[in-house]
Amino acid sequence: QKKKSYQEHLEKLVAAKSYKPSIDVKVWTDKKEYEIKEKIVFYIKTDKNGYLTMLDISPNGDITVIFPNKFHRDNFVRAGVTYQVPSPNYGFEFNVQGPPGLERIKALVTLNKVSLLKLDLDKGFHSVKRETTRGTRAIQALSKQVGSVGSSTWSEAYSEVFIFNEGEKYSRGSRAIHGLN
């Protein structure tokens, strides 16, 4: 049997849904489209206390775990609180890196503390790189972990943003985007 590729595991992870979610999770950004180098802020809110893992999947398939992170290592989140990444107390801003295309955001909230990934937060944010053995192993483990969490004890939210090259956004107008949704 052919081993599943990184992309297959990634798509499975993006599509993963809990059958009987007992938690309502919302994830959003301050805008729907960004030019490269613009700053981006992610928001998350859940209606139950839980543990959050938030993934940012770039158009090329690399994943950055944006929560938890070096500045907020504990991934416990409280019900009804809107969390912001980066929050003002991190002392820096996120600028959109690119490449251009569809960037996807997946937030997973579990009621119990489950370690979905072994995180290395020394650089600030843990990343999973697409074209590497380690990246493929990490995404396999992640998609397996998500598959094994009891269905009523976790939930997810999904959002997407569109990334443009600098200066392109205005020349293309928003018509081009509708074709992609």
Side-chain angles (χ1 to χ4, degrees), residues 119-143:
L119 299 177
D120 170 12
L121 300 178
D122 292 343
K123 293 190 183 78
F125 297 87
H126 183 81
S127 61
V128 176
K129 293 276 182 251
R130 182 195 178 100
E131 298 300 334
T132 62
T133 317
R134 207 154 114 211
T136 303
R137 271 210 304 269
I139 198 147
Q140 275 169 348
L142 186 57
S143 103

mmCIF file with all atom_site columns, all heavy atoms in Angstrom, residues 119-143:
data_model
loop_
_atom_site.group_PDB
_atom_site.id
_atom_site.type_symbol
_atom_site.label_atom_id
_atom_site.label_alt_id
_atom_site.label_comp_id
_atom_site.label_asym_id
_atom_site.label_entity_id
_atom_site.label_seq_id
_atom_site.pdbx_PDB_ins_code
_atom_site.Cartn_x
_atom_site.Cartn_y
_atom_site.Cartn_z
_atom_site.occupancy
_atom_site.B_iso_or_equiv
_atom_site.pdbx_formal_charge
_atom_site.auth_seq_id
_atom_site.auth_comp_id
_atom_site.auth_asym_id
_atom_site.auth_atom_id
_atom_site.pdbx_PDB_model_num
ATOM 1   N N   . LEU A 1 119 ? 5.780  20.152 20.472 1.00 0.00 ? 119 LEU A N   1
ATOM 2   C CA  . LEU A 1 119 ? 6.092  21.496 19.998 1.00 0.00 ? 119 LEU A CA  1
ATOM 3   C C   . LEU A 1 119 ? 7.491  21.940 20.392 1.00 0.00 ? 119 LEU A C   1
ATOM 4   O O   . LEU A 1 119 ? 7.933  21.714 21.509 1.00 0.00 ? 119 LEU A O   1
ATOM 5   C CB  . LEU A 1 119 ? 5.075  22.490 20.570 1.00 0.00 ? 119 LEU A CB  1
ATOM 6   C CG  . LEU A 1 119 ? 3.623  22.237 20.161 1.00 0.00 ? 119 LEU A CG  1
ATOM 7   C CD1 . LEU A 1 119 ? 2.711  23.228 20.854 1.00 0.00 ? 119 LEU A CD1 1
ATOM 8   C CD2 . LEU A 1 119 ? 3.446  22.334 18.653 1.00 0.00 ? 119 LEU A CD2 1
ATOM 9   N N   . ASP A 1 120 ? 8.159  22.577 19.463 1.00 0.00 ? 120 ASP A N   1
ATOM 10  C CA  . ASP A 1 120 ? 9.439  23.203 19.752 1.00 0.00 ? 120 ASP A CA  1
ATOM 11  C C   . ASP A 1 120 ? 9.207  24.708 19.627 1.00 0.00 ? 120 ASP A C   1
ATOM 12  O O   . ASP A 1 120 ? 9.082  25.231 18.522 1.00 0.00 ? 120 ASP A O   1
ATOM 13  C CB  . ASP A 1 120 ? 10.472 22.711 18.731 1.00 0.00 ? 120 ASP A CB  1
ATOM 14  C CG  . ASP A 1 120 ? 11.761 23.508 18.808 1.00 0.00 ? 120 ASP A CG  1
ATOM 15  O OD1 . ASP A 1 120 ? 11.936 24.267 19.795 1.00 0.00 ? 120 ASP A OD1 1
ATOM 16  O OD2 . ASP A 1 120 ? 12.584 23.391 17.893 1.00 0.00 ? 120 ASP A OD2 1
ATOM 17  N N   . LEU A 1 121 ? 9.123  25.370 20.776 1.00 0.00 ? 121 LEU A N   1
ATOM 18  C CA  . LEU A 1 121 ? 8.727  26.784 20.747 1.00 0.00 ? 121 LEU A CA  1
ATOM 19  C C   . LEU A 1 121 ? 9.905  27.743 20.899 1.00 0.00 ? 121 LEU A C   1
ATOM 20  O O   . LEU A 1 121 ? 9.713  28.935 21.097 1.00 0.00 ? 121 LEU A O   1
ATOM 21  C CB  . LEU A 1 121 ? 7.683  27.044 21.841 1.00 0.00 ? 121 LEU A CB  1
ATOM 22  C CG  . LEU A 1 121 ? 6.407  26.209 21.694 1.00 0.00 ? 121 LEU A CG  1
ATOM 23  C CD1 . LEU A 1 121 ? 5.442  26.491 22.834 1.00 0.00 ? 121 LEU A CD1 1
ATOM 24  C CD2 . LEU A 1 121 ? 5.729  26.467 20.353 1.00 0.00 ? 121 LEU A CD2 1
ATOM 25  N N   . ASP A 1 122 ? 11.126 27.228 20.795 1.00 0.00 ? 122 ASP A N   1
ATOM 26  C CA  . ASP A 1 122 ? 12.278 28.107 20.985 1.00 0.00 ? 122 ASP A CA  1
ATOM 27  C C   . ASP A 1 122 ? 12.302 29.264 19.995 1.00 0.00 ? 122 ASP A C   1
ATOM 28  O O   . ASP A 1 122 ? 12.706 30.361 20.316 1.00 0.00 ? 122 ASP A O   1
ATOM 29  C CB  . ASP A 1 122 ? 13.584 27.314 20.869 1.00 0.00 ? 122 ASP A CB  1
ATOM 30  C CG  . ASP A 1 122 ? 13.737 26.352 22.040 1.00 0.00 ? 122 ASP A CG  1
ATOM 31  O OD1 . ASP A 1 122 ? 13.016 26.546 23.050 1.00 0.00 ? 122 ASP A OD1 1
ATOM 32  O OD2 . ASP A 1 122 ? 14.531 25.414 21.946 1.00 0.00 ? 122 ASP A OD2 1
ATOM 33  N N   . LYS A 1 123 ? 11.864 29.002 18.772 1.00 0.00 ? 123 LYS A N   1
ATOM 34  C CA  . LYS A 1 123 ? 11.879 30.072 17.761 1.00 0.00 ? 123 LYS A CA  1
ATOM 35  C C   . LYS A 1 123 ? 10.633 30.945 17.862 1.00 0.00 ? 123 LYS A C   1
ATOM 36  O O   . LYS A 1 123 ? 10.439 31.847 17.062 1.00 0.00 ? 123 LYS A O   1
ATOM 37  C CB  . LYS A 1 123 ? 11.956 29.472 16.358 1.00 0.00 ? 123 LYS A CB  1
ATOM 38  C CG  . LYS A 1 123 ? 13.268 28.777 16.063 1.00 0.00 ? 123 LYS A CG  1
ATOM 39  C CD  . LYS A 1 123 ? 13.364 28.437 14.572 1.00 0.00 ? 123 LYS A CD  1
ATOM 40  C CE  . LYS A 1 123 ? 14.631 27.682 14.255 1.00 0.00 ? 123 LYS A CE  1
ATOM 41  N NZ  . LYS A 1 123 ? 14.525 26.259 14.646 1.00 0.00 ? 123 LYS A NZ  1
ATOM 42  N N   . GLY A 1 124 ? 9.758  30.633 18.791 1.00 0.00 ? 124 GLY A N   1
ATOM 43  C CA  . GLY A 1 124 ? 8.525  31.412 18.913 1.00 0.00 ? 124 GLY A CA  1
ATOM 44  C C   . GLY A 1 124 ? 7.320  30.597 18.501 1.00 0.00 ? 124 GLY A C   1
ATOM 45  O O   . GLY A 1 124 ? 6.364  30.460 19.246 1.00 0.00 ? 124 GLY A O   1
ATOM 46  N N   . PHE A 1 125 ? 7.394  30.031 17.291 1.00 0.00 ? 125 PHE A N   1
ATOM 47  C CA  . PHE A 1 125 ? 6.269  29.269 16.754 1.00 0.00 ? 125 PHE A CA  1
ATOM 48  C C   . PHE A 1 125 ? 6.764  27.958 16.168 1.00 0.00 ? 125 PHE A C   1
ATOM 49  O O   . PHE A 1 125 ? 7.776  27.924 15.494 1.00 0.00 ? 125 PHE A O   1
ATOM 50  C CB  . PHE A 1 125 ? 5.542  30.086 15.681 1.00 0.00 ? 125 PHE A CB  1
ATOM 51  C CG  . PHE A 1 125 ? 4.951  31.342 16.242 1.00 0.00 ? 125 PHE A CG  1
ATOM 52  C CD1 . PHE A 1 125 ? 5.702  32.501 16.325 1.00 0.00 ? 125 PHE A CD1 1
ATOM 53  C CD2 . PHE A 1 125 ? 3.655  31.344 16.741 1.00 0.00 ? 125 PHE A CD2 1
ATOM 54  C CE1 . PHE A 1 125 ? 5.170  33.656 16.886 1.00 0.00 ? 125 PHE A CE1 1
ATOM 55  C CE2 . PHE A 1 125 ? 3.114  32.492 17.304 1.00 0.00 ? 125 PHE A CE2 1
ATOM 56  C CZ  . PHE A 1 125 ? 3.869  33.647 17.380 1.00 0.00 ? 125 PHE A CZ  1
ATOM 57  N N   . HIS A 1 126 ? 6.014  26.907 16.410 1.00 0.00 ? 126 HIS A N   1
ATOM 58  C CA  . HIS A 1 126 ? 6.386  25.604 15.870 1.00 0.00 ? 126 HIS A CA  1
ATOM 59  C C   . HIS A 1 126 ? 5.950  25.536 14.414 1.00 0.00 ? 126 HIS A C   1
ATOM 60  O O   . HIS A 1 126 ? 4.856  25.961 14.068 1.00 0.00 ? 126 HIS A O   1
ATOM 61  C CB  . HIS A 1 126 ? 5.679  24.504 16.674 1.00 0.00 ? 126 HIS A CB  1
ATOM 62  C CG  . HIS A 1 126 ? 6.046  23.128 16.234 1.00 0.00 ? 126 HIS A CG  1
ATOM 63  N ND1 . HIS A 1 126 ? 7.208  22.517 16.638 1.00 0.00 ? 126 HIS A ND1 1
ATOM 64  C CD2 . HIS A 1 126 ? 5.415  22.253 15.414 1.00 0.00 ? 126 HIS A CD2 1
ATOM 65  C CE1 . HIS A 1 126 ? 7.265  21.313 16.092 1.00 0.00 ? 126 HIS A CE1 1
ATOM 66  N NE2 . HIS A 1 126 ? 6.191  21.123 15.347 1.00 0.00 ? 126 HIS A NE2 1
ATOM 67  N N   . SER A 1 127 ? 6.803  24.982 13.556 1.00 0.00 ? 127 SER A N   1
ATOM 68  C CA  . SER A 1 127 ? 6.364  24.850 12.171 1.00 0.00 ? 127 SER A CA  1
ATOM 69  C C   . SER A 1 127 ? 6.543  23.427 11.668 1.00 0.00 ? 127 SER A C   1
ATOM 70  O O   . SER A 1 127 ? 7.390  22.678 12.162 1.00 0.00 ? 127 SER A O   1
ATOM 71  C CB  . SER A 1 127 ? 7.112  25.832 11.266 1.00 0.00 ? 127 SER A CB  1
ATOM 72  O OG  . SER A 1 127 ? 8.480  25.544 11.314 1.00 0.00 ? 127 SER A OG  1
ATOM 73  N N   . VAL A 1 128 ? 5.726  23.067 10.700 1.00 0.00 ? 128 VAL A N   1
ATOM 74  C CA  . VAL A 1 128 ? 5.794  21.761 10.052 1.00 0.00 ? 128 VAL A CA  1
ATOM 75  C C   . VAL A 1 128 ? 6.058  22.061 8.586  1.00 0.00 ? 128 VAL A C   1
ATOM 76  O O   . VAL A 1 128 ? 5.264  22.722 7.922  1.00 0.00 ? 128 VAL A O   1
ATOM 77  C CB  . VAL A 1 128 ? 4.457  20.996 10.201 1.00 0.00 ? 128 VAL A CB  1
ATOM 78  C CG1 . VAL A 1 128 ? 4.503  19.675 9.438  1.00 0.00 ? 128 VAL A CG1 1
ATOM 79  C CG2 . VAL A 1 128 ? 4.136  20.762 11.675 1.00 0.00 ? 128 VAL A CG2 1
ATOM 80  N N   . LYS A 1 129 ? 7.215  21.603 8.100  1.00 0.00 ? 129 LYS A N   1
ATOM 81  C CA  . LYS A 1 129 ? 7.606  21.924 6.731  1.00 0.00 ? 129 LYS A CA  1
ATOM 82  C C   . LYS A 1 129 ? 7.239  20.792 5.795  1.00 0.00 ? 129 LYS A C   1
ATOM 83  O O   . LYS A 1 129 ? 7.479  19.631 6.076  1.00 0.00 ? 129 LYS A O   1
ATOM 84  C CB  . LYS A 1 129 ? 9.129  22.152 6.655  1.00 0.00 ? 129 LYS A CB  1
ATOM 85  C CG  . LYS A 1 129 ? 9.567  23.394 7.410  1.00 0.00 ? 129 LYS A CG  1
ATOM 86  C CD  . LYS A 1 129 ? 9.405  24.625 6.546  1.00 0.00 ? 129 LYS A CD  1
ATOM 87  C CE  . LYS A 1 129 ? 9.873  25.884 7.238  1.00 0.00 ? 129 LYS A CE  1
ATOM 88  N NZ  . LYS A 1 129 ? 8.774  26.769 7.623  1.00 0.00 ? 129 LYS A NZ  1
ATOM 89  N N   . ARG A 1 130 ? 6.699  21.190 4.669  1.00 0.00 ? 130 ARG A N   1
ATOM 90  C CA  . ARG A 1 130 ? 6.132  20.248 3.738  1.00 0.00 ? 130 ARG A CA  1
ATOM 91  C C   . ARG A 1 130 ? 7.114  19.226 3.163  1.00 0.00 ? 130 ARG A C   1
ATOM 92  O O   . ARG A 1 130 ? 6.861  18.030 3.237  1.00 0.00 ? 130 ARG A O   1
ATOM 93  C CB  . ARG A 1 130 ? 5.510  21.062 2.611  1.00 0.00 ? 130 ARG A CB  1
ATOM 94  C CG  . ARG A 1 130 ? 4.851  20.243 1.616  1.00 0.00 ? 130 ARG A CG  1
ATOM 95  C CD  . ARG A 1 130 ? 4.564  21.017 0.362  1.00 0.00 ? 130 ARG A CD  1
ATOM 96  N NE  . ARG A 1 130 ? 3.967  20.040 -0.499 1.00 0.00 ? 130 ARG A NE  1
ATOM 97  C CZ  . ARG A 1 130 ? 2.665  19.941 -0.686 1.00 0.00 ? 130 ARG A CZ  1
ATOM 98  N NH1 . ARG A 1 130 ? 1.859  20.767 -0.118 1.00 0.00 ? 130 ARG A NH1 1
ATOM 99  N NH2 . ARG A 1 130 ? 2.192  19.001 -1.454 1.00 0.00 ? 130 ARG A NH2 1
ATOM 100 N N   . GLU A 1 131 ? 8.187  19.681 2.578  1.00 0.00 ? 131 GLU A N   1
ATOM 101 C CA  . GLU A 1 131 ? 9.048  18.751 1.829  1.00 0.00 ? 131 GLU A CA  1
ATOM 102 C C   . GLU A 1 131 ? 10.072 18.035 2.702  1.00 0.00 ? 131 GLU A C   1
ATOM 103 O O   . GLU A 1 131 ? 11.183 17.791 2.269  1.00 0.00 ? 131 GLU A O   1
ATOM 104 C CB  . GLU A 1 131 ? 9.791  19.493 0.706  1.00 0.00 ? 131 GLU A CB  1
ATOM 105 C CG  . GLU A 1 131 ? 8.885  20.117 -0.337 1.00 0.00 ? 131 GLU A CG  1
ATOM 106 C CD  . GLU A 1 131 ? 8.006  19.106 -1.072 1.00 0.00 ? 131 GLU A CD  1
ATOM 107 O OE1 . GLU A 1 131 ? 8.403  17.921 -1.147 1.00 0.00 ? 131 GLU A OE1 1
ATOM 108 O OE2 . GLU A 1 131 ? 6.922  19.482 -1.544 1.00 0.00 ? 131 GLU A OE2 1
ATOM 109 N N   . THR A 1 132 ? 9.733  17.728 3.931  1.00 0.00 ? 132 THR A N   1
ATOM 110 C CA  . THR A 1 132 ? 10.716 17.097 4.790  1.00 0.00 ? 132 THR A CA  1
ATOM 111 C C   . THR A 1 132 ? 10.133 15.828 5.392  1.00 0.00 ? 132 THR A C   1
ATOM 112 O O   . THR A 1 132 ? 8.931  15.720 5.588  1.00 0.00 ? 132 THR A O   1
ATOM 113 C CB  . THR A 1 132 ? 11.117 18.037 5.943  1.00 0.00 ? 132 THR A CB  1
ATOM 114 O OG1 . THR A 1 132 ? 9.937  18.296 6.731  1.00 0.00 ? 132 THR A OG1 1
ATOM 115 C CG2 . THR A 1 132 ? 11.669 19.355 5.442  1.00 0.00 ? 132 THR A CG2 1
ATOM 116 N N   . THR A 1 133 ? 11.001 14.885 5.676  1.00 0.00 ? 133 THR A N   1
ATOM 117 C CA  . THR A 1 133 ? 10.574 13.634 6.309  1.00 0.00 ? 133 THR A CA  1
ATOM 118 C C   . THR A 1 133 ? 9.935  13.955 7.641  1.00 0.00 ? 133 THR A C   1
ATOM 119 O O   . THR A 1 133 ? 8.917  13.384 8.025  1.00 0.00 ? 133 THR A O   1
ATOM 120 C CB  . THR A 1 133 ? 11.812 12.742 6.583  1.00 0.00 ? 133 THR A CB  1
ATOM 121 O OG1 . THR A 1 133 ? 12.650 12.799 5.439  1.00 0.00 ? 133 THR A OG1 1
ATOM 122 C CG2 . THR A 1 133 ? 11.410 11.318 6.855  1.00 0.00 ? 133 THR A CG2 1
ATOM 123 N N   . ARG A 1 134 ? 10.531 14.894 8.346  1.00 0.00 ? 134 ARG A N   1
ATOM 124 C CA  . ARG A 1 134 ? 10.023 15.240 9.658  1.00 0.00 ? 134 ARG A CA  1
ATOM 125 C C   . ARG A 1 134 ? 8.632  15.849 9.545  1.00 0.00 ? 134 ARG A C   1
ATOM 126 O O   . ARG A 1 134 ? 7.751  15.549 10.334 1.00 0.00 ? 134 ARG A O   1
ATOM 127 C CB  . ARG A 1 134 ? 10.984 16.224 10.319 1.00 0.00 ? 134 ARG A CB  1
ATOM 128 C CG  . ARG A 1 134 ? 10.934 16.131 11.820 1.00 0.00 ? 134 ARG A CG  1
ATOM 129 C CD  . ARG A 1 134 ? 12.235 16.579 12.420 1.00 0.00 ? 134 ARG A CD  1
ATOM 130 N NE  . ARG A 1 134 ? 12.015 17.798 13.185 1.00 0.00 ? 134 ARG A NE  1
ATOM 131 C CZ  . ARG A 1 134 ? 12.922 18.735 13.337 1.00 0.00 ? 134 ARG A CZ  1
ATOM 132 N NH1 . ARG A 1 134 ? 14.092 18.613 12.746 1.00 0.00 ? 134 ARG A NH1 1
ATOM 133 N NH2 . ARG A 1 134 ? 12.681 19.782 14.069 1.00 0.00 ? 134 ARG A NH2 1
ATOM 134 N N   . GLY A 1 135 ? 8.440  16.693 8.535  1.00 0.00 ? 135 GLY A N   1
ATOM 135 C CA  . GLY A 1 135 ? 7.146  17.316 8.310  1.00 0.00 ? 135 GLY A CA  1
ATOM 136 C C   . GLY A 1 135 ? 6.077  16.275 8.023  1.00 0.00 ? 135 GLY A C   1
ATOM 137 O O   . GLY A 1 135 ? 4.962  16.323 8.547  1.00 0.00 ? 135 GLY A O   1
ATOM 138 N N   . THR A 1 136 ? 6.429  15.293 7.175  1.00 0.00 ? 136 THR A N   1
ATOM 139 C CA  . THR A 1 136 ? 5.473  14.250 6.824  1.00 0.00 ? 136 THR A CA  1
ATOM 140 C C   . THR A 1 136 ? 5.136  13.414 8.049  1.00 0.00 ? 136 THR A C   1
ATOM 141 O O   . THR A 1 136 ? 3.983  13.084 8.290  1.00 0.00 ? 136 THR A O   1
ATOM 142 C CB  . THR A 1 136 ? 6.032  13.388 5.680  1.00 0.00 ? 136 THR A CB  1
ATOM 143 O OG1 . THR A 1 136 ? 6.316  14.256 4.581  1.00 0.00 ? 136 THR A OG1 1
ATOM 144 C CG2 . THR A 1 136 ? 5.030  12.341 5.228  1.00 0.00 ? 136 THR A CG2 1
ATOM 145 N N   . ARG A 1 137 ? 6.149  13.097 8.846  1.00 0.00 ? 137 ARG A N   1
ATOM 146 C CA  . ARG A 1 137 ? 5.896  12.331 10.083 1.00 0.00 ? 137 ARG A CA  1
ATOM 147 C C   . ARG A 1 137 ? 5.001  13.113 11.028 1.00 0.00 ? 137 ARG A C   1
ATOM 148 O O   . ARG A 1 137 ? 4.086  12.569 11.635 1.00 0.00 ? 137 ARG A O   1
ATOM 149 C CB  . ARG A 1 137 ? 7.224  12.007 10.786 1.00 0.00 ? 137 ARG A CB  1
ATOM 150 C CG  . ARG A 1 137 ? 7.821  10.691 10.309 1.00 0.00 ? 137 ARG A CG  1
ATOM 151 C CD  . ARG A 1 137 ? 8.633  10.038 11.417 1.00 0.00 ? 137 ARG A CD  1
ATOM 152 N NE  . ARG A 1 137 ? 9.677  10.911 11.931 1.00 0.00 ? 137 ARG A NE  1
ATOM 153 C CZ  . ARG A 1 137 ? 10.924 10.937 11.447 1.00 0.00 ? 137 ARG A CZ  1
ATOM 154 N NH1 . ARG A 1 137 ? 11.267 10.150 10.456 1.00 0.00 ? 137 ARG A NH1 1
ATOM 155 N NH2 . ARG A 1 137 ? 11.803 11.747 11.961 1.00 0.00 ? 137 ARG A NH2 1
ATOM 156 N N   . ALA A 1 138 ? 5.267  14.420 11.145 1.00 0.00 ? 138 ALA A N   1
ATOM 157 C CA  . ALA A 1 138 ? 4.490  15.261 12.060 1.00 0.00 ? 138 ALA A CA  1
ATOM 158 C C   . ALA A 1 138 ? 3.029  15.333 11.633 1.00 0.00 ? 138 ALA A C   1
ATOM 159 O O   . ALA A 1 138 ? 2.124  15.243 12.456 1.00 0.00 ? 138 ALA A O   1
ATOM 160 C CB  . ALA A 1 138 ? 5.092  16.663 12.126 1.00 0.00 ? 138 ALA A CB  1
ATOM 161 N N   . ILE A 1 139 ? 2.801  15.457 10.338 1.00 0.00 ? 139 ILE A N   1
ATOM 162 C CA  . ILE A 1 139 ? 1.414  15.602 9.897  1.00 0.00 ? 139 ILE A CA  1
ATOM 163 C C   . ILE A 1 139 ? 0.666  14.279 9.993  1.00 0.00 ? 139 ILE A C   1
ATOM 164 O O   . ILE A 1 139 ? -0.523 14.231 10.277 1.00 0.00 ? 139 ILE A O   1
ATOM 165 C CB  . ILE A 1 139 ? 1.315  16.240 8.503  1.00 0.00 ? 139 ILE A CB  1
ATOM 166 C CG1 . ILE A 1 139 ? -0.109 16.767 8.292  1.00 0.00 ? 139 ILE A CG1 1
ATOM 167 C CG2 . ILE A 1 139 ? 1.702  15.306 7.403  1.00 0.00 ? 139 ILE A CG2 1
ATOM 168 C CD1 . ILE A 1 139 ? -0.193 17.979 7.477  1.00 0.00 ? 139 ILE A CD1 1
ATOM 169 N N   . GLN A 1 140 ? 1.388  13.171 9.796  1.00 0.00 ? 140 GLN A N   1
ATOM 170 C CA  . GLN A 1 140 ? 0.765  11.853 9.985  1.00 0.00 ? 140 GLN A CA  1
ATOM 171 C C   . GLN A 1 140 ? 0.295  11.720 11.425 1.00 0.00 ? 140 GLN A C   1
ATOM 172 O O   . GLN A 1 140 ? -0.837 11.330 11.689 1.00 0.00 ? 140 GLN A O   1
ATOM 173 C CB  . GLN A 1 140 ? 1.792  10.737 9.740  1.00 0.00 ? 140 GLN A CB  1
ATOM 174 C CG  . GLN A 1 140 ? 1.930  10.347 8.290  1.00 0.00 ? 140 GLN A CG  1
ATOM 175 C CD  . GLN A 1 140 ? 3.136  9.447  8.060  1.00 0.00 ? 140 GLN A CD  1
ATOM 176 O OE1 . GLN A 1 140 ? 3.988  9.285  8.934  1.00 0.00 ? 140 GLN A OE1 1
ATOM 177 N NE2 . GLN A 1 140 ? 3.212  8.861  6.896  1.00 0.00 ? 140 GLN A NE2 1
ATOM 178 N N   . ALA A 1 141 ? 1.184  12.050 12.334 1.00 0.00 ? 141 ALA A N   1
ATOM 179 C CA  . ALA A 1 141 ? 0.878  11.921 13.762 1.00 0.00 ? 141 ALA A CA  1
ATOM 180 C C   . ALA A 1 141 ? -0.290 12.826 14.132 1.00 0.00 ? 141 ALA A C   1
ATOM 181 O O   . ALA A 1 141 ? -1.190 12.429 14.869 1.00 0.00 ? 141 ALA A O   1
ATOM 182 C CB  . ALA A 1 141 ? 2.107  12.288 14.589 1.00 0.00 ? 141 ALA A CB  1
ATOM 183 N N   . LEU A 1 142 ? -0.279 14.030 13.592 1.00 0.00 ? 142 LEU A N   1
ATOM 184 C CA  . LEU A 1 142 ? -1.315 15.002 13.911 1.00 0.00 ? 142 LEU A CA  1
ATOM 185 C C   . LEU A 1 142 ? -2.671 14.528 13.409 1.00 0.00 ? 142 LEU A C   1
ATOM 186 O O   . LEU A 1 142 ? -3.661 14.538 14.126 1.00 0.00 ? 142 LEU A O   1
ATOM 187 C CB  . LEU A 1 142 ? -0.952 16.348 13.275 1.00 0.00 ? 142 LEU A CB  1
ATOM 188 C CG  . LEU A 1 142 ? -1.824 17.542 13.599 1.00 0.00 ? 142 LEU A CG  1
ATOM 189 C CD1 . LEU A 1 142 ? -1.902 17.786 15.100 1.00 0.00 ? 142 LEU A CD1 1
ATOM 190 C CD2 . LEU A 1 142 ? -1.276 18.794 12.916 1.00 0.00 ? 142 LEU A CD2 1
ATOM 191 N N   . SER A 1 143 ? -2.714 14.049 12.165 1.00 0.00 ? 143 SER A N   1
ATOM 192 C CA  . SER A 1 143 ? -3.999 13.639 11.624 1.00 0.00 ? 143 SER A CA  1
ATOM 193 C C   . SER A 1 143 ? -4.496 12.382 12.350 1.00 0.00 ? 143 SER A C   1
ATOM 194 O O   . SER A 1 143 ? -5.683 12.204 12.577 1.00 0.00 ? 143 SER A O   1
ATOM 195 C CB  . SER A 1 143 ? -3.947 13.536 10.094 1.00 0.00 ? 143 SER A CB  1
ATOM 196 O OG  . SER A 1 143 ? -3.867 12.243 9.628  1.00 0.00 ? 143 SER A OG  1
#
